[in-house]
């Protein structure tokens, strides 16, 4: 299992204690990639929508791992992915302030995911607060992780079938949680990337976890999110079984004529 914490862009809502890059060598003098921090704000119909994207591109093996504002590890099946967290305004009127509210976390997107390399693996996301505690992601107190099984074989079109993708909640230790889900999920291989607007493909896919589309059961204040983690887990049961070659029918020996 590989584990990848990512620090949110401090120019959006948070302040990172890391004021500069930190290099961690993995031997050799391979290629280096620099982290990208991008933030955008869009206002539509007077309802603010905030999209914060954050990640660091990495090369592992005989290369160097570079950290920008935050830290991460590459997931095992893809060494260069990005995280985008979508937020939208949640009205919470107070007695002395009818306009009060906060930016709720609407969705978490794993971008630039190579579905060819990650086919059949389980993909997990977690949100971590400023006290290094996992944030509840579902309508069940123990729901600290959201997980899907990535399609195998690769999809030929966009899909948002949560049942087919085996979307589920897990406890922090990885135990499945039964019950109704507030979340939904989509895997996109066509259109444009949430992260940087690049053209999507099976080798550059977006996987988006929508925490609660109804905004009624799960409303996480974006200010409370300090880290996002992404993990991939081997999923042997999802591997395509090889079809055995048919056994050739033996040719009958010719019968000798009397």
């Amino acid at each position: 299992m590989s584990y990848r914490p990512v620090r949110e862009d401090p120019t959006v809502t948070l302040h990172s204690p890391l004021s500069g890059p930190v290099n961690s060598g993995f031997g050799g003098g391979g290629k280096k990639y620099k982290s990208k921090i991008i933030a955008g704000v869009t206002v539509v119909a007077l309802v603010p929508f905030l999209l914060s994207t954050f990640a660091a591109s990495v090369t592992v093996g005989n290369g160097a791992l570079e950290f920008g504002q935050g830290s991460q590890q590459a997931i095992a099946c893809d060494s260069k992915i990005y995280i985008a967290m979508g937020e939208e305004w949640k009205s919470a009127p107070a007695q002395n302030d009818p306009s009060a509210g906060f930016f709720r976390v609407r969705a978490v997107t794993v971008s630039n995911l190579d579905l060819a390399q990650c086919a059949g693996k389980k993909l997990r996301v977690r949100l971590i607060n400023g006290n290094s505690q996992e944030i509840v992601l579902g309508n069940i107190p123990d729901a600290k992780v959201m997980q899907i099984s990535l399609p195998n074989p690769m999809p030929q079109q966009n899909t948002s079938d949560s049942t087919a993708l085996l979307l589920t909640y897990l406890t922090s230790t990885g135990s499945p949680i039964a019950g109704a889900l507030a979340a939904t999920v989509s895997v996109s291989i066509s259109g444009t990337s949430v992260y940087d607007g690049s053209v999507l493909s099976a080798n550059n896919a977006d996987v988006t976890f929508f925490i609660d589309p109804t905004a009624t059961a799960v409303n996480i204040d974006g200010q409370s999110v300090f880290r996002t983690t992404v993990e991939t887990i081997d999923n042997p049961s999802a591997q395509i079984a090889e079809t055995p070659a048919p056994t050739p029918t033996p040719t009958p020996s010719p019968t000798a004529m009397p």
Side-chain angles (χ1 to χ4, degrees), residues 169-230:
Y169 296 133
L170 305 176
T171 66
S172 59
T173 57
S175 299
I177 297 175
L181 297 170
T184 61
V185 68
S186 69
V187 176
S188 301
I189 61 170
S190 63
T192 56
S193 171
V194 168
Y195 177 74
D196 59 4
S198 60
V199 177
L200 293 174
S201 68
N203 303 110
N204 177 36
D206 273 4
V207 177
T208 301
F209 295 85
F210 297 96
I211 292 179
D212 178 10
T214 67
T216 57
V218 187
N219 292 295
I220 300 168
D221 189 340
Q223 292 274 5
S224 68
V225 181
F226 274 58
R227 289 184 182 272
T228 301
T229 75
V230 180

Side-chain angles (χ1 to χ4, degrees), residues 127-136 144 224 226-227:
L127 300 181
I128 311 298
N129 66 21
N131 295 319
S132 294
Q133 298 172 331
E134 292 171 290
I135 297 172
V136 176
K144 304 293 182 65
S224 68
F226 274 58
R227 289 184 182 272

Side-chain angles (χ1 to χ4, degrees), residues 39-220:
V41 178
T42 305
V43 179
V44 179
L46 302 181
V47 179
F49 177 78
L50 179 66
L51 176 65
S52 54
T53 60
F54 42 91
S57 306
V58 301
T59 297
V60 295
N62 293 325
L65 179 61
E66 289 196 4
F67 295 90
Q69 296 288 341
S71 61
Q72 73 172 37
Q73 286 180 292
I75 60 176
C77 61
D78 191 339
S79 64
K80 189 178 180 182
I81 66 171
Y82 305 99
I83 306 299
M85 190 170 70
E87 300 175 66
E88 64 186 0
W89 183 252
K90 173 67 174 176
S91 178
Q95 182 176 359
N96 299 324
D97 185 3
S99 66
F102 59 93
F103 282 101
R104 67 178 290 271
V105 179
R106 175 176 178 268
V108 178
T109 299
V110 181
S111 283
N112 194 43
L113 186 64
D114 189 339
L115 294 180
Q117 297 297 320
C118 298
K121 291 184 178 292
K122 295 176 182 177
L123 182 70
R124 298 176 178 178
V125 297
R126 310 171 192 245
L127 300 181
I128 311 298
N129 66 21
N131 295 319
S132 294
Q133 298 172 331
E134 292 171 290
I135 297 172
V136 176
L137 302 179
N139 48 357
I140 302 168
D142 288 335
K144 304 293 182 65
V145 183
M146 287 191 292
Q147 173 183 278
I148 65 167
S149 289
L150 294 170
N152 189 14
M154 293 185 301
Q156 301 302 308
Q157 59 186 7
N158 295 345
T159 178
S160 56
D161 188 337
S162 297
T163 301
L165 293 168
L166 302 180
L167 174 65
T168 188
Y169 296 133
L170 305 176
T171 66
S172 59
T173 57
S175 299
I177 297 175
L181 297 170
T184 61
V185 68
S186 69
V187 176
S188 301
I189 61 170
S190 63
T192 56
S193 171
V194 168
Y195 177 74
D196 59 4
S198 60
V199 177
L200 293 174
S201 68
N203 303 110
N204 177 36
D206 273 4
V207 177
T208 301
F209 295 85
F210 297 96
I211 292 179
D212 178 10
T214 67
T216 57
V218 187
N219 292 295
I220 300 168

